[in-house]
Amino acid sequence: MNNSKLGTLEIRNYKPLGEVVFEYLRESILNGTLKPGERLMEIALAEQLGVSRTPVREAIRKLEKESFVEMIPRKGAYVADLTAKDIIDVLEIRILLEGFASSLAAQRMSEEELMSLRETLEAFNDAVSRHDRQAMIDLDNMFHDKIFDATKNNKLIEIVKDLHDQFQRFRLTYFTEFDNYPEIQKWHQKIYDAIRSSDVNAAKEAAEQHVQLIMDLVMNWKEKRNE
């Protein structure tokens, strides 16, 4: 099988080039390489990635449909900003899913999974001490994913995967705009302790309060921004 490289992504001959460019640009938005408000120049991107303008144009159109990119008349394509309203919409979904997942995990998480969750919690705490924002984002995602996986509920896990990009964009904005990392550490610990104790109600309550406190913080931020 012939392989070539597009930036950091591998192109295989069975995947359309436009799809590879789309995935590359989407990941660049999700990890913050391409920042909100940044203009996407077809010619510059095509030269950078070593492709023609056609797959870049196709990728930008698809990104627009999925709300990653905003097309501004007579100006061009820009990485869409994630507003406070967008974040609150995500959190309203998360508060339901996180509480339910944590209650199930308190009943179903194995000792091996619990040990892995503990290791992730400790790694997150270490990232906080090092002020490593990207590691915090990745490990926060991992911490919550391990809880969802422990539910053994395939439908719930599928729903969360479908919302992954929205959650990840929220995390990038949240960890950039706010620095209440000790609060996150505290609630991660409460969620972990409740799951370890198999306390269904405490796990659900801790997960919901964790998200609610983040939502309150974002609401205050929204008021300051007058959104």
Side-chain angles (χ1 to χ4, degrees), residues 52-83:
S52 70
R53 292 177 63 181
T54 300
V56 174
R57 187 178 301 115
E58 292 173 354
I60 289 175
R61 286 173 180 168
K62 187 172 182 181
L63 288 166
E64 182 190 12
K65 290 180 180 178
E66 298 196 8
S67 300
F68 286 100
V69 166
E70 180 183 8
M71 298 298 297
I72 301 178
R74 296 183 297 280
K75 290 188 177 182
Y78 292 80
V79 177
D81 192 10
L82 194 64
T83 67

Side-chain angles (χ1 to χ4, degrees), residues 118-196:
R118 177 67 191 180
E119 290 171 353
T120 303
L121 184 152
E122 292 173 350
F124 179 87
N125 293 342
D126 179 64
V128 171
S129 68
R130 293 184 286 107
H131 305 287
D132 188 336
R133 182 168 60 87
Q134 188 57 53
M136 284 187 273
I137 292 171
D138 294 340
L139 288 162
D140 182 67
N141 179 53
M142 190 181 300
F143 179 83
H144 291 281
D145 276 355
K146 287 180 183 295
I147 292 173
F148 281 108
D149 288 342
T151 67
K152 313 298 191 296
N153 185 315
N154 292 333
K155 295 301 180 184
L156 176 59
I157 293 169
E158 286 177 12
I159 291 172
V160 173
K161 285 182 178 178
D162 288 340
L163 294 169
H164 174 269
D165 287 353
Q166 296 300 319
F167 287 173
Q168 192 65 8
R169 290 194 74 197
F170 152 73
R171 283 189 175 94
L172 179 61
T173 301
Y174 181 79
F175 279 92
T176 300
E177 294 288 342
F178 306 104
D179 61 355
N180 65 328
Y181 309 136
E183 279 294 306
I184 297 175
Q185 290 175 283
K186 181 180 77 174
W187 287 101
H188 279 183
Q189 186 68 52
K190 286 180 177 290
I191 294 167
Y192 169 80
D193 289 342
I195 292 174
R196 184 188 60 182

